[in-house]
Amino acid sequence: MMPQEVQTETAIAPPVMWSPSPEQREGTRLWDFMGHVSRSRGIGLTTYREAWQWSVDEMGDFWAAVTGYFGVIGDGLDGPALAEERMPGARWYPDGRLNLAENIFRRSNGGKERSPTAVLTVEEDDSTRSLSWQEFERQVASLAAALRRLGVKPGDRVGAVLPNIPEALIGLLAAASIGAVWSINSPDLSAEASLDRLRQLEPTVLIGVDGYRFNGKEISRLAQLAEVEAGLPSLRQTILVRCLHPGQEPEAGRLSFDGLLGGDAEPDYERVPFDHPLWVLFSSGTTGAPKGIVHSHGGMTLEALKGIGLNQDAGPGDLYYVAANTSWMVWNTLVSYLVTGASVVTYSGSPTLARKDRQFQILANTGATMFATGAAYLSLVEKSGLEPGREWNLAKLRFIMSTGSPLPDSTWCWVHEHVKADVHLGSDSGGTDICSGFIGSNPLEPVHLGELQGPLLGVAVESWSDTGQRLIGGIGEMVIRRPMPSMPVFFWGDPDGSRYFDSYFAKFPGVWTHGDWITETRRGSFIVHGRSDATLNRGGVRLGTSDIYAALAGIPEITDSLVVGAEQPDGGYYMPLFVVLAPGAALDDPLRDRIRSAIRARSSARHVPDEIIQAPAIPVTHSMKRVEVPIKKLFSGLAPRDAVSVQALANPEAMDWFVTQAQSYREHRNNSIVE
């Protein structure tokens, strides 16, 4: 499909927040890659846009170049990278066989020295422990050998309920070494929520934890683990990690994780087909049964090298920190960084322990160079009035990736003013669907306030209207016109592929529709406006919810907010704004007037809310995303059991208030209609 192009943009470019020097550009791995491609293939690539255009025009050649440049280990990788182009169902390296774990522990890293430490673990009391690359590989090999003795074979599933600790990475890579399929849940999920996911996979082995420490408290999870075990009839063995009571033997019937690491097994990597399942990630499950999204060894290996190694310029010598819940796909980026030869930090404690800028303290203490976090966390620290750049030595920090939701302009400025002036702050947009990004950062171009720098290499992304026209300057659907190796190989339990097709390809056949509203500028940068299924559509005028949140960012009395636009059975449209207030603040008429004025001035006069209502808290998923769509459904008249699955929420008690609020609204509306 070749859509017509519609241009509506006239705005002046926003100010530049960061720009690389010529020395910085030419010192990047991407610059070296471009030179390698230019020399080996006889084409001249001198700018990021030239490299991106080549990567989407000559997609097979591009991915073959990534494979060759990084020296990916495997068999049959000298054949065509993209043997058959179609969506869904593209065929990548049909004769290729490789293993992601083997590529993590390879000895060569492009001539650069990697740190002796592979994994650095930080505890809430600031104590640390490190795991060398050599010991890391030995432990992975020992656990893989133990799993084989337990009968685990390629294609079998290994489930886990673990926090963000080294044992989770060891478990994942041990399963991957065998060709087994991995899936992990955070222990702060309820047993029921974990079973909603793991039961679909019928795992033969479960790796669980006795508990964890969070915000200064010890939280036992043995009872939850027993409930998960009882709900998995396929289970043959449980392996227990002792976080609260190290060295204590597990109860009868369970094996000790530490006890299985004592062997001296030789590394043994099962090279599997390129599209062999690596792990299963699950959708949030807030509006129905969680979808099991299956990614491949080959897709994740190449995506890590391209997205992390080239677009984020990470590799040997870098130390990456993210305080990610293991149920959030961002946790898997720890593995992606390891693929590039970078080292990683694991931390399972509270990201706001004792003070809101706790994570910046960890960055300073560890000397991390790369930091990923949710936009909501950066805004939280901004509103706290703290200045991490004054408090902590962040000299080594060179890159911050903000994700999870659009980053408000005020927070963008705050990072450069109060964290580090010359840090490369990038807002990236991708998802669990590809366990990577579509649009985001690159090390060769400037960053403009409020904008994502551009499409990532190998991603043919555009903004389209509902009729399939490309939009420049207007708000449209984010679509991907050509395949990516990191797209799911299938959904679990979807034998005919119908759920997969309906999720991405029903709107524009042969084109991936992601479900995000974006604006593509004439300069090739992007602005993300939020999920299209949560878009505010009042009187035919659409607005992303993020535009409302951005308008509220400068009001200090508001610590959190949520806006929905709910279609009513009688054809009406109800648009309430819910706000969480700072301690001591009151939602009086002057504050309501300031809120309306801010939205009218900075967003849209058409989208001033019908009501402004104080809420005790905003419900969020375990990846800290607002659950706009379930609340929209509540106010549209759906019963709570059909609108939301509270087990999928990080704070399910917050939803109770909204259920009551929606019920009161519907009763009042029905009484008004009767009268």
Side-chain angles (χ1 to χ4, degrees):
M1 182 182 294
M2 294 300 294
Q4 292 180 309
E5 185 173 300
V6 178
Q7 297 202 12
T8 61
E9 179 187 30
T10 58
I12 298 173
V16 171
M17 305 302 293
W18 174 87
S19 185
S21 67
E23 294 77 18
Q24 286 175 316
R25 279 197 301 271
E26 294 172 17
T28 64
R29 186 179 264 181
L30 177 54
W31 187 268
D32 188 66
F33 171 79
M34 289 161 54
H36 166 80
V37 168
S38 297
R39 292 188 299 272
S40 62
R41 296 176 185 265
I43 55 175
L45 301 178
T46 60
T47 68
Y48 181 78
R49 296 296 154 160
E50 290 175 353
W52 173 79
Q53 195 66 57
W54 173 71
S55 76
V56 295
D57 287 346
E58 305 295 336
M59 190 158 279
D61 286 351
F62 166 71
W63 286 107
V66 171
T67 302
Y69 176 78
F70 285 100
V72 175
I73 298 173
D75 303 312
L77 298 177
D78 51 355
L82 182 55
E84 188 173 351
E85 180 173 346
R86 61 175 185 263
M87 288 198 293
R91 295 181 66 221
W92 299 92
Y93 285 110
D95 299 321
R97 300 183 71 88
L98 76 166
N99 189 289
L100 176 136
E102 183 178 18
N103 278 280
I104 282 179
F105 292 113
R106 59 190 172 159
R107 299 297 187 267
S108 172
N109 280 282
K112 294 185 179 180
E113 286 296 320
R114 64 186 183 187
S115 165
T117 297
V119 183
L120 178 64
T121 299
V122 178
E123 306 291 352
E124 284 199 333
D125 63 3
D126 287 331
S127 62
T128 62
R129 54 192 170 105
S130 61
L131 189 61
S132 70
W133 286 97
Q134 183 178 13
E135 182 64 9
F136 189 19
E137 185 172 27
R138 189 198 67 75
Q139 292 187 8
V140 167
S142 295
L143 183 59
L147 292 174
R148 285 188 172 99
R149 291 195 298 271
L150 292 172
V152 177
K153 306 181 298 299
D156 288 349
R157 277 75 66 199
V158 175
V161 181
L162 295 171
N164 180 9
I165 54 178
E167 288 83 353
L169 294 172
I170 293 166
L172 186 159
L173 296 178
S177 300
I178 300 170
V181 184
W182 172 264
S183 190
I184 189 169
N185 291 286
S186 172
D188 61 2
L189 263 67
S190 68
E192 183 178 355
S194 289
L195 286 170
D196 283 346
R197 293 154 173 78
L198 293 178
R199 192 184 283 122
Q200 298 181 44
L201 306 181
E202 301 179 302
T204 58
V205 172
L206 176 68
I207 304 177
V209 69
D210 63 349
Y212 57 96
R213 293 177 178 85
F214 192 86
N215 208 26
K217 299 177 181 178
E218 290 191 352
I219 301 170
S220 174
R221 301 308 275 165
L222 287 173
Q224 178 226 32
L225 178 60
E227 199 174 333
V228 172
E229 288 174 306
L232 295 173
S234 60
L235 202 61
R236 295 200 299 258
Q237 186 64 64
T238 298
I239 301 171
L240 184 66
V241 176
R242 287 287 191 186
C243 281
L244 299 184
H245 305 288
Q248 184 175 323
E249 285 299 309
E251 299 78 2
R254 294 172 177 158
L255 297 176
S256 165
F257 188 95
D258 287 345
L260 299 179
L261 302 185
D264 266 330
E266 286 294 316
D268 183 7
Y269 301 108
E270 181 79 22
R271 292 185 181 175
V272 293
F274 187 91
D275 61 357
H276 185 84
L278 169 65
W279 56 48
V280 181
L281 302 183
F282 283 93
S283 62
S284 63
T286 53
T287 58
K291 295 193 300 281
I293 301 170
V294 184
H295 297 119
S296 69
H297 275 254
M300 287 297 98
T301 299
L302 293 193
E303 186 62 46
L305 294 170
K306 182 270 296 185
I308 306 298
L310 297 180
N311 272 99
Q312 294 186 12
D313 190 38
D318 280 310
L319 181 61
Y320 171 62
Y321 167 66
V322 58
N325 178 297
T326 53
S327 292
W328 187 18
M329 56 87 27
V330 173
W331 179 79
N332 295 70
T333 62
L334 292 168
V335 177
S336 299
Y337 272 84
L338 289 169
V339 172
T340 72
S343 306
V344 300
V345 177
T346 62
Y347 175 68
S348 59
S350 169
T352 56
L353 180 71
R355 50 188 297 159
K356 296 292 193 297
D357 62 352
R358 164 66 171 162
Q359 296 200 65
F360 291 98
Q361 180 185 14
I362 293 173
L363 291 169
N365 290 348
T366 60
T369 60
M370 319 289 284
F371 175 40
T373 188
Y377 175 75
L378 295 175
S379 294
L380 175 71
V381 185
E382 174 198 7
K383 287 179 176 291
S384 73
L386 295 171
E387 299 181 81
R390 288 181 178 269
E391 293 286 336
W392 312 110
N393 181 359
L394 303 175
K396 293 186 177 180
L397 180 64
R398 65 184 183 90
F399 179 78
I400 298 176
M401 180 183 74
S402 172
T403 189
S405 59
L407 189 66
D409 287 0
S410 65
T411 308
W412 216 304
C413 295
W414 171 84
V415 167
H416 288 288
E417 292 170 2
H418 299 293
V419 175
K420 194 176 185 186
D422 62 350
V423 73
H424 182 179
L425 171 61
S427 180
D428 284 35
S429 180
T432 303
D433 318 76
I434 59 163
C435 198
S436 184
F438 295 113
I439 49 181
S441 306
N442 75 74
L444 305 185
E445 294 184 320
V447 177
H448 290 269
L449 176 64
E451 296 181 353
L452 285 70
Q453 284 176 273
L456 301 186
L457 294 170
V459 185
V461 59
E462 293 177 354
S463 172
W464 281 16
S465 71
D466 283 342
T467 56
Q469 292 179 306
R470 186 179 182 186
L471 296 176
I472 304 295
I475 298 177
E477 286 270 10
M478 181 166 74
V479 303
I480 316 300
R481 292 189 296 103
R482 302 194 68 186
M484 299 166 58
S486 56
M487 287 176 175
V489 287
F490 57 87
F491 283 177
W492 199 269
D494 181 31
D496 63 357
S498 57
R499 292 180 68 203
Y500 186 14
F501 180 88
D502 290 344
S503 294
Y504 308 115
F505 303 105
K507 186 167 186 175
F508 301 117
V511 176
W512 176 293
T513 304
H514 190 62
D516 279 353
W517 281 114
I518 60 171
T519 295
E520 181 180 1
T521 74
R522 287 184 188 175
R523 290 170 285 105
S525 57
F526 288 85
I527 301 166
V528 177
H529 301 280
R531 296 294 295 173
S532 57
D533 51 5
T535 298
L536 307 171
N537 187 356
R538 176 174 265 175
V541 179
R542 289 172 170 162
L543 188 76
T545 55
S546 68
D547 296 287
I548 300 292
Y549 304 139
L552 302 177
I555 300 178
E557 292 92 338
I558 299 176
T559 61
D560 204 354
S561 58
L562 183 142
V563 64
V564 296
E567 295 82 4
Q568 301 302 299
D570 62 357
Y573 193 78
Y574 176 55
M575 186 179 147
L577 170 66
F578 302 97
V579 295
V580 179
L581 299 184
L587 187 58
D588 51 19
D589 287 342
L591 179 56
R592 284 190 171 92
D593 289 342
R594 284 167 53 209
I595 292 171
R596 294 188 186 101
S597 296
I599 293 172
R600 190 177 289 111
R602 297 196 54 190
S603 184
S604 162
R606 183 75 65 92
H607 293 86
V608 172
D610 296 318
E611 289 189 87
I612 303 171
I613 304 166
Q614 183 176 351
I618 300 300
V620 294
T621 67
H622 286 275
S623 58
M624 302 309 293
K625 293 184 179 179
R626 299 174 176 94
V627 289
E628 297 165 324
V629 174
I631 292 174
K632 173 181 176 178
K633 290 181 177 181
L634 285 174
F635 282 91
S636 295
L638 263 68
R641 66 178 179 276
D642 298 323
V644 62
S645 174
V646 295
Q647 290 82 13
L649 303 180
N651 54 345
E653 68 285 350
M655 183 59 75
D656 295 338
W657 183 89
F658 280 88
V659 170
T660 302
Q661 191 76 17
Q663 183 177 357
S664 298
Y665 167 76
R666 292 197 305 272
E667 290 174 353
H668 175 74
R669 183 179 179 85
N670 291 338
N671 291 337
S672 299
I673 293 173
V674 170
E675 293 172 2

